[in-house]
Amino acid sequence: MKLIAQKEAEAFVKTGAKEFRYNRDIQLTPGAKDILTESGVKIVFVDASSTGAAAQQVSPDGKASTDDAAVFNSKEAQSIKEQICDIGRRIWLREYCDGNGGNISARIGPDRFIVTPTGVSKGFLKPDMLCLVDGKGNQLAGTWKRSSEFTTHAAIYETTPAAISVCHAHPCHAGAFAIKGMQPPPRLIPELEVFVGTVAVAEYKTPGSPEIADSIRPLAPNHQSIIMGNHGVICWGTSVEDAYFKMEITDAYCRTVILAQSIPGASSIPGEGLSELLDLKKKLGLPDNRYDLKPAELCEVDPWQEMCGSHGCASPVTPWNPMTLDAKSPSLDADTDSLVQKLTDTILANLNK
């Protein structure tokens, strides 16, 4: 198989040809396809196995094969497009994405997906902005260029047949864990345990790159919510709304944990209680990789020790304040001590006048 990458696409554009024809023995990278379409070159796929069949086409005006056009313009596709636009606005209203950040996709058929476009705020999506792509990210229909991060979604669809929709955004509280490269501690709130499960963490890779897709691929089958190192969160679900629900629950959980760490105390759901939650989850038919673990195995790690260190949040976790010293804090130097004392004496003297 011959691979046509950006360099080869640029060389082809320089020939002045207006049509690029290829078949199953030639593979176009998404970058090469972008260069060709942006240069006004019509891309034509010729299926040699179908004698006399019409070639599949993708061009700047959004023309597609008859079958793909029918799928893209079907009532089912229209419904999915409207759902994606609705979820996009909800993501934007909750401040889960800034600028044109975030992307949403949904499976509509074998190797066919509807995906949000690049460069558009999720709060202002319209159904006619969405695109139809295959599992390799090749755009098959739609006049707006598809999101550059669809290849990360494709890694989830490839490894997780149950995934019908994927939602990626940059919610601030889960994002705080992302920039720490830290997994949110388990066993603190039932809703996360039942409806999401363990949140995984993937190490940082360049957004939209093959490497970030590779980092997500092994995690997706066992985790519906994945924190992407120094980047954001990606979730999958059995519907567009379900994928969004995973995102919302994940960020609400992270927000609560961040708030709770400043309060003294360290309670958590006991192992037996978590077992009961997992039994409930199994009855709901939801996936989880902890079903075979015993209560003792479920609570091997104390969540607050994992979150806050050896003291386990027994005291508030707040920034060190040099004006409230304790026995373990460094002492103020002599000049600062003298200045503080002079200020105190001056204030008291003025009060007594």
Side-chain angles (χ1 to χ4, degrees):
M1 177 177 287
K2 183 178 180 180
L3 181 68
I4 303 297
Q6 294 184 27
K7 183 178 180 181
E8 289 80 7
E10 290 169 351
F12 184 85
V13 169
K14 291 178 181 178
T15 67
K18 297 301 181 183
E19 183 177 274
F20 180 88
R21 301 175 69 84
Y22 72 110
N23 56 34
R24 296 184 185 279
D25 295 325
I26 298 175
Q27 179 64 53
L28 277 169
T29 66
K33 184 177 287 293
D34 289 344
I35 288 172
L36 293 173
T37 56
E38 290 170 1
S39 300
V41 177
K42 180 182 289 186
I43 302 172
V44 180
F45 174 74
V46 182
D47 189 350
S49 65
S50 301
T51 304
Q56 288 184 322
Q57 299 181 7
V58 179
S59 64
D61 60 5
K63 291 181 180 178
S65 72
T66 302
D67 289 344
D68 285 331
V71 169
F72 190 59
N73 296 309
S74 66
K75 289 183 178 180
E76 181 184 2
Q78 184 62 24
S79 175
I80 290 174
K81 293 174 190 176
E82 291 172 357
Q83 291 173 49
I84 289 176
C85 292
D86 176 58
I87 294 302
R89 183 159 182 80
R90 288 159 70 176
I91 286 174
W92 180 76
L93 287 171
R94 292 189 69 94
E95 299 183 347
Y96 285 178
C97 52
D98 51 335
N100 60 7
N103 31 79
I104 308 165
S105 68
R107 192 196 303 266
I108 193 171
D111 198 43
R112 292 295 184 269
F113 308 88
I114 292 177
V115 62
T116 49
T118 188
V120 178
S121 167
K122 301 304 153 309
F124 299 91
L125 288 171
K126 303 295 182 185
D128 60 4
M129 295 178 177
L130 275 61
C131 320
L132 182 72
V133 300
D134 64 19
K136 292 184 172 60
N138 297 313
Q139 188 162 333
L140 306 174
T143 57
W144 293 64
K145 183 179 175 183
R146 59 95 171 155
S147 168
S148 62
E149 294 194 75
F150 175 74
T151 50
T152 311
H153 295 222
I156 294 177
Y157 291 125
E158 175 190 333
T159 58
T160 315
I164 301 301
S165 180
V166 174
C167 179
H168 165 57
H170 311 146
C172 289
H173 304 94
F177 282 86
I179 65 174
K180 290 286 190 176
M182 183 177 183
Q183 183 181 39
R187 294 196 297 118
L188 296 176
I189 299 177
E191 283 72 19
L192 184 88
E193 304 297 345
V194 174
F195 297 110
V196 177
T198 305
V199 179
V201 178
E203 64 180 40
Y204 174 79
K205 301 293 179 182
T206 303
S209 68
E211 289 76 19
I212 198 167
D214 290 341
S215 72
I216 296 298
R217 190 171 285 109
L219 299 174
N222 292 319
H223 302 278
Q224 286 192 262
S225 181
I226 302 170
I227 288 177
M228 307 163 80
N230 299 87
H231 184 40
V233 183
I234 192 164
C235 302
W236 66 264
T238 55
S239 68
V240 177
E241 187 165 52
D242 186 49
Y244 166 70
F245 278 174
K246 309 305 180 191
M247 178 76 63
E248 191 171 286
I249 294 169
T250 299
D251 194 61
Y253 185 85
C254 291
R255 181 183 184 185
T256 306
V257 170
I258 291 170
L259 291 171
Q261 70 169 335
S262 64
I263 302 172
S267 66
S268 60
I269 300 170
E272 293 79 7
L274 186 52
S275 292
E276 292 177 2
L277 292 176
L278 290 175
D279 288 341
L280 172 62
K281 185 172 187 176
K282 184 181 290 187
K283 291 177 182 178
L284 293 173
L286 300 173
D288 201 290
N289 62 341
R290 300 170 294 173
Y291 284 140
D292 295 330
L293 297 180
K294 298 177 180 178
E297 296 173 308
L298 291 170
C299 59
E300 282 184 332
V301 177
D302 178 83
W304 287 116
Q305 183 170 336
E306 185 176 358
M307 180 71 186
C308 306
S310 60
H311 59 75
C313 292
S315 59
V317 181
T318 55
W320 174 67
N321 183 350
M323 300 305 292
T324 56
L325 299 176
D326 57 36
K328 296 181 180 179
S329 301
S331 60
L332 299 174
D333 58 47
D335 290 339
T336 304
D337 273 335
S338 176
L339 177 60
V340 170
Q341 187 60 54
K342 288 180 180 179
L343 289 172
T344 302
D345 292 343
T346 300
I347 292 170
L348 292 175
N350 288 333
L351 289 174
N352 292 328
K353 287 183 179 180

